[in-house]
């Protein structure tokens, strides 16, 4: 059974940093692209970033480019999101998601974690 | 950036009725469109991928259709557990992998 468990969320001041982790199990992690998707309180889904299975390719939505870094450790089946220079508008639940199939990029995400809440406030 | 517009914003139907949800793209996305269901307090769940393929474990009452710019998610006979917000997402023109704003489905 695929399991994705996010951690690392919390309260951080504007301008601060936070590192999210997503521990994966139940599948061969290195074969699949992984994404981060966020959801601000009471709002819809917003795609944040994606990384290929081997970690060689990664992409970001414009609002986080140059502030967030996606990475992965395939030896530990773990996905990361390093978030720097955080802003109030980054406040959201952050979900990690597994790409469906081994195609790059995947055309959908077929497994999702339960999310971790990031609150940016002074 | 491709914009996905979902309609209606809210849909209120009775159990057993047919639900038709629409997702329109600002330019063609071929068939690279997925539908997700998000119940209150839960993570999204993949329902439909590549416009018309049901994901693993999804009941047959859910179906997807369309290509290009116009897509439809149909729930043939509503069950009370179908209360959720439904999102479409495109993965043709990226980044970003844009989502629609969602359709909230209420059961009368």
């Amino acid at each position: 059974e695929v399991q994705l468990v996010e951690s690392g969320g919390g309260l951080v001041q504007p301008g601060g940093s936070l590192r999210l982790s997503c521990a994966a199990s139940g599948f061969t992690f290195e074969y699949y692209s992984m994404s981060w998707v966020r959801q601000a309180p009471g709002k819809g889904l917003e795609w944040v970033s994606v990384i290929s299975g081997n970690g060689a390719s990664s992409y970001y939505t414009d609002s986080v480019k140059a502030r967030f870094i996606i990475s992965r450790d395939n030896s530990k089946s773990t996905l990361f999101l390093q978030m720097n220079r955080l802003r109030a508008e980054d406040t959201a639940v952050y979900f990690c998601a597994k790409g469906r199939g081994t195609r790059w990029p995947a055309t959908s995400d077929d497994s999702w974690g339960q999310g971790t809440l990031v609150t940016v406030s002074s | 950036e491709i914009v996905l517009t979902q309609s209606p914003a809210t849909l209120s139907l009775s159990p057993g009725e047919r639900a038709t949800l629409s997702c329109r793209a600002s330019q063609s996305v071929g068939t690279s469109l997925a539908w997700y269901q998000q119940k209150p307090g839960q993570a999204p769940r993949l329902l439909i991928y590549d416009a018309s393929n049901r994901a693993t474990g999804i009941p047959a009452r859910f179906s997807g259709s369309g290509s290009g710019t116009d897509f439809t998610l149909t729930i043939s006979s509503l069950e009370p557990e179908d209360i959720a917000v439904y999102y479409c997402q495109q993965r043709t023109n990226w980044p970003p992998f844009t989502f629609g704003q969602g359709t909230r489905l209420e059961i009368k």
Side-chain angles (χ1 to χ4, degrees):
Chain A
E1 178 194 2
V2 173
Q3 282 201 318
L4 300 170
V5 180
E6 301 95 337
S7 61
L11 175 64
V12 61
Q13 291 189 338
S17 297
L18 215 53
R19 190 193 198 203
L20 305 183
S21 299
C22 171
S25 61
F27 65 102
T28 305
F29 186 68
E30 64 183 314
Y31 288 173
Y32 297 90
S33 62
M34 297 292 295
S35 293
W36 287 99
V37 174
R38 67 184 179 184
Q39 187 168 37
K43 302 297 184 182
L45 301 173
E46 180 186 23
W47 175 81
V48 173
S49 182
V50 66
I51 188 168
S52 60
N54 63 8
S57 299
S58 59
Y59 297 89
Y60 303 87
T61 193
D62 283 349
S63 63
V64 310
K65 227 176 269 186
R67 298 190 299 124
F68 290 11
I69 301 171
I70 191 172
S71 63
R72 61 193 296 160
D73 184 339
N74 285 347
S75 69
K76 297 181 179 177
S77 296
T78 304
L79 174 72
F80 302 101
L81 185 68
Q82 177 67 42
M83 303 187 295
N84 301 320
R85 304 202 305 276
L86 283 160
R87 307 166 179 167
E89 54 265 36
D90 296 318
T91 294
V93 173
Y94 285 73
F95 298 100
C96 65
K98 167 188 166 289
R100 189 195 63 79
T102 55
R103 169 182 166 178
W104 170 252
T107 58
S108 57
D109 292 320
D110 62 2
S111 297
W112 296 63
Q114 283 304 302
T116 186
L117 175 62
V118 172
T119 303
V120 184
S121 175
S122 55
Chain B
E1 175 178 325
I2 292 180
V3 175
L4 299 180
T5 302
Q6 292 187 240
S7 61
T10 303
L11 189 56
S12 184
L13 296 168
S14 299
E17 287 194 296
R18 182 184 190 90
T20 302
L21 288 67
S22 173
C23 177
R24 178 163 290 178
S26 58
Q27 57 186 276
S28 177
V29 299
T31 57
S32 188
L33 188 108
W35 289 94
Y36 298 89
Q37 175 193 63
Q38 188 179 32
K39 296 182 179 181
Q42 295 186 17
R45 176 173 73 148
L46 177 65
L47 295 177
I48 302 289
Y49 64 91
D50 295 345
S52 61
N53 297 285
R54 263 192 310 277
T56 302
I58 301 304
R61 65 179 183 275
F62 291 92
S63 63
S65 64
S67 65
T69 60
D70 289 298
F71 299 86
T72 300
L73 174 69
T74 302
I75 309 173
S76 60
S77 180
L78 279 171
E79 300 282 346
E81 62 263 30
D82 297 335
I83 295 173
V85 180
Y86 293 82
Y87 295 94
C88 56
Q89 185 194 36
Q90 69 81 24
R91 294 205 178 203
T92 288
N93 190 326
W94 62 283
F97 295 140
T98 46
F99 286 94
Q101 82 278 18
T103 289
R104 183 177 304 275
L105 179 58
E106 299 173 345
I107 306 293
K108 286 181 183 175

